[in-house]
Amino acid sequence: MCIRDRYVGHRDSANVITFDGNNNWQPIAGQNITPCGATGHPFALNFNPVNERLYVACAPDQNVSQVKVYRATSGGLALAASLDLSLIHISEPTRPY
């Protein structure tokens, strides 16, 4: 992985594209991924340079319900984990009226 690589989510194609900062920010051929499936969208991305992981919040059904974790390697992004998110319901506290 090159420290100057950048990752951009493209909503319409459902891809995450890797750009090469050492080559005039050109897309790196063969390193695009489709983390959320063909009908899903990469909603948000975060890269941690310490552990070289890319975190992708996926919206496969127009709602963010998954997180995909990728390891950044010199050959591209490798899936490390796929996590399903559950909605948390917070009820209003009981009031003594």
Side-chain angles (χ1 to χ4, degrees), residues 61-83:
D61 57 1
Q62 304 303 317
N63 295 307
V64 175
S65 60
Q66 297 176 336
V67 173
K68 305 286 180 142
V69 181
Y70 289 86
R71 284 183 299 107
T73 69
S74 59
L77 295 169
L79 184 63
S82 180
L83 309 166

Side-chain angles (χ1 to χ4, degrees), residues 2 5 13-15 20 32 39 42 49 64 69 74-75 77 81 87 91-93:
C2 171
D5 288 353
S13 71
N15 289 331
D20 185 352
N32 290 355
T39 60
V64 175
V69 181
S74 59
L77 295 169
L87 295 176
S91 61
E92 190 171 329

Side-chain angles (χ1 to χ4, degrees), residues 86-93:
S86 298
L87 295 176
I88 299 172
H89 176 74
I90 300 173
S91 61
E92 190 171 329

Side-chain angles (χ1 to χ4, degrees), residues 3-75:
I3 195 69
R4 292 200 46 178
D5 288 353
R6 294 296 182 263
Y7 305 99
V8 176
H10 189 269
R11 182 198 66 194
D12 295 336
S13 71
N15 289 331
V16 172
I17 303 164
T18 304
F19 290 92
D20 185 352
N22 292 321
N23 188 20
N24 202 26
W25 299 107
Q26 295 298 309
I28 300 175
Q31 291 196 14
N32 290 355
I33 59 170
T34 308
C36 308
T39 60
H41 305 289
F43 186 80
L45 307 173
N46 186 42
F47 183 74
N48 183 335
V50 175
N51 65 10
E52 296 187 337
R53 300 285 191 266
L54 176 69
Y55 301 87
V56 183
C58 289
D61 57 1
Q62 304 303 317
N63 295 307
V64 175
S65 60
Q66 297 176 336
V67 173
K68 305 286 180 142
V69 181
Y70 289 86
R71 284 183 299 107
T73 69
S74 59

